[in-house]
Structures are given as C-alpha cells and as structure tokens.
Amino acid sequence: MTEKTRYSDEELEEFRQIINDKLALAKRDYDQMMRVLMNEDGNDVDDTSPTFKVLEEGSATQSKEETIALAARQQKFIQGLQAALIRIENKTYGIDRITGKLIPKERLRIVPHATLSVESKNNAKHAH
C-alpha cells in the first residue's frame, strides 16, 4: 500500500466541519472582544459568551492592551482557519509544508490550521 499523499474528500469534509465550527466560535469571541474595546464599560456584554469572560465581576479586569493583544491573536487564528479552508478547496490540506507528508489526523483535529507536523515543527525550532 503506497503512503497516502493527500486526504480523501470525505476526510477533507470532516476537517471542513471542524474548521467551520472553530471559525464560528473564534469570530464570535473576536466580535465580543471588539465590542468590549469599543464600549469600555461593557454593560451590554453581560455573559453572553461563556468562552470570553474578560469583564466578569470580581475577576481582575484585563487591561485594554491585553484585550487588544488577545483580539490580535484571535484575528491571526481566524486567518489561519480561513487559510486552512482554502487548502481544503485546493486539496492540499493536511500536507506538511516542509516534508510534503501528511500531518497526522490527531494533530489536525486539535490544531486544524496546522501546516507542519509536530516533527517538522520541532526540527524547525532546533534549526535556529
């Protein structure tokens, strides 16, 4: 049996679902962060989102800078997921950009926008 060089359309479809779900959550959190930044007092953003509770009563309120940094990270995450959807369209999704081998499904389920296997990522780290 030759080594698979790409994921099947069924597999790509499964990843598309995972990515779309993560994307919806990520965008929701990002929108919430933006609302918090636009409206400093945050009265209208009670706890509508369980994943983003920056302004919880009693918790040390995050500074505006921290929220901006979080929002920037979130935006990068969203872009990564959107790029992954493009790779699914091109059928290049899940292929390690260094080795050209398939990234294991377990990794992609956790980090669906990964473009490197753990091995390549570690090798790249040690190369510096």
Side-chain angles (χ1 to χ4, degrees):
M1 171 102 185
T2 55
E3 201 178 347
K4 273 172 55 168
T5 53
R6 80 170 187 85
Y7 282 115
S8 70
D9 292 350
E10 292 76 37
E11 290 167 319
L12 290 175
E13 198 46 53
E14 180 199 335
F15 288 124
R16 189 198 312 268
Q17 293 295 314
I18 293 171
I19 292 168
N20 279 327
D21 290 348
K22 282 191 189 283
L23 205 48
L25 278 173
K27 284 180 172 165
R28 190 184 76 184
D29 285 357
Y30 179 73
D31 290 344
Q32 184 122 16
M33 289 174 204
M34 287 330 248
R35 276 203 303 277
V36 168
L37 287 170
M38 300 301 177
N39 177 23
E40 291 285 38
D41 63 5
N43 286 339
D44 64 337
V45 285
D46 301 327
D47 50 358
T48 46
S49 169
T51 49
F52 182 64
K53 286 195 175 171
V54 166
L55 296 170
E56 218 171 33
E57 292 312 313
S59 74
T61 308
Q62 279 180 322
S63 69
K64 191 170 183 180
E65 288 71 33
E66 286 172 317
T67 306
I68 290 169
L70 266 178
R73 263 216 311 275
Q74 196 68 2
Q75 195 174 20
K76 226 177 124 183
F77 179 55
I78 290 169
Q79 288 164 345
L81 291 172
Q82 287 167 335
L85 287 174
I86 293 167
R87 292 195 297 279
I88 287 177
E89 292 303 316
N90 300 339
K91 311 241 190 273
T92 58
Y93 180 80
I95 299 169
D96 183 310
R97 64 186 158 87
I98 293 179
T99 65
K101 294 189 170 130
L102 281 186
I103 299 170
K105 272 189 186 178
E106 303 73 50
R107 172 158 167 74
L108 290 170
R109 285 195 180 107
I110 298 165
V111 187
H113 57 301
T115 57
L116 293 174
S117 66
V118 172
E119 194 184 346
S120 289
K121 194 178 172 184
N122 290 340
N123 290 343
K125 243 187 239 150
H126 299 305
H128 295 305

